[in-house]
């Protein structure tokens, strides 16, 4: 069963619990990196855990939830080979896979309702990358990451 790394801060904790159940229903194994209750925590601590697992290639896909999804997006897109997509609607979830090959789905737990969130997860998990002209664009992002690593910025 394919593993999916998942984590949230307190703004996304409840939705994370629902998404874990849903992932199991549709045939995935969620690997939960926390948080484990509603107590206030700092979203970078949880975003980093999932981004590390995906960046290293330990797990191919991740899902992160904070209040808006903005904080988690900022954190994960600092990691090499991580393409985090904040998708609070189904169209963005579909295109974020087809065109961007996003490997971390980010949701706003205070933005989307439970029903829409499950549709977004289902769409994002089941949509394949189109490749072709979109691969050339991802290659440019990879080149940028390499330059930054070498001290270009
Ligand atoms: C926490 O209150 C909130 O700031 C956080 O969940 C997230 O929305 C940050 O981007």
């Amino acid at each position: 069963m394919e593993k999916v790394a998942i984590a949230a801060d307190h703004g996304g904790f409840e939705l994370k619990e629902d998404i874990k159940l849903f992932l199991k229903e549709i045939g995935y194994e969620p690997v939960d990196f926390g948080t484990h209750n509603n107590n206030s925590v700092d979203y970078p601590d949880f975003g980093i855990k999932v981004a590390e697992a995906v960046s290293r290639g330990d797990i191919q896909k991740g899902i992160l939830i904070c209040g808006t999804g903005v904080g988690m997006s900022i954190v994960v897109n600092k990691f090499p080979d991580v393409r985090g997509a904040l998708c609070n609607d189904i169209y963005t979830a579909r295109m974020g896979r087809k065109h961007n090959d996003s490997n971390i789905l980010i949701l706003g737990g205070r933005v989307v309702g439970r029903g829409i969130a499950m549709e977004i997860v289902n769409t994002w998990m089941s949509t394949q990358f189109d490749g072709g002209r979109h691969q050339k664009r991802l290659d440019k992002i990879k080149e940028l990451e390499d330059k930054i690593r070498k001290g270009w910025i």
Side-chain angles (χ1 to χ4, degrees):
M1 205 180 281
E2 185 183 336
K3 291 183 177 171
V4 181
I6 188 164
D9 73 354
H10 53 289
F13 165 68
E14 280 168 17
L15 188 56
K16 170 171 72 69
E17 295 305 298
D18 287 341
I19 290 174
K20 277 163 52 187
L21 293 176
F22 181 68
L23 284 171
K24 287 179 194 163
E25 270 174 35
I26 62 172
Y28 294 94
E29 182 187 337
V31 180
D32 189 350
F33 288 84
T35 185
H36 299 295
N37 56 50
N38 279 312
N39 296 342
S40 180
V41 290
D42 300 328
Y43 61 82
D45 296 337
F46 298 90
I48 286 168
K49 289 180 191 181
V50 167
E52 271 178 350
V54 172
S55 185
R56 285 198 196 114
D58 297 343
I59 300 180
Q60 302 308 310
K61 281 185 182 162
I63 298 178
L64 283 164
I65 313 122
C66 62
T68 58
V70 172
M72 291 296 195
S73 303
I74 294 169
V75 170
V76 304
N77 284 309
K78 299 201 179 296
F79 283 74
D81 300 315
V82 167
R83 294 175 298 280
L86 172 54
C87 303
N88 284 326
D89 65 88
I90 295 160
Y91 177 79
T92 308
R94 182 176 304 112
M95 301 315 280
R97 286 286 309 130
K98 284 170 77 72
H99 286 191
N100 311 107
D101 198 20
S102 55
N103 50 15
I104 298 187
L105 169 66
I106 302 147
L107 292 157
R110 295 171 181 159
V111 180
V112 290
R114 188 188 175 285
I116 296 286
M118 299 312 144
E119 292 279 345
I120 291 169
V121 169
N122 202 18
T123 299
W124 190 80
M125 291 302 305
S126 61
T127 303
Q128 300 303 308
F129 178 46
D130 277 351
R133 69 186 188 280
H134 303 293
Q135 183 59 54
K136 183 183 70 170
R137 294 160 188 170
L138 296 190
D139 292 344
K140 291 190 175 186
I141 297 171
K142 183 70 194 151
E143 276 172 34
L144 173 66
E145 285 178 357
D146 292 343
K147 281 184 186 169
I148 291 171
R149 203 174 305 148
K150 287 176 191 154
W152 180 59
I153 290 178

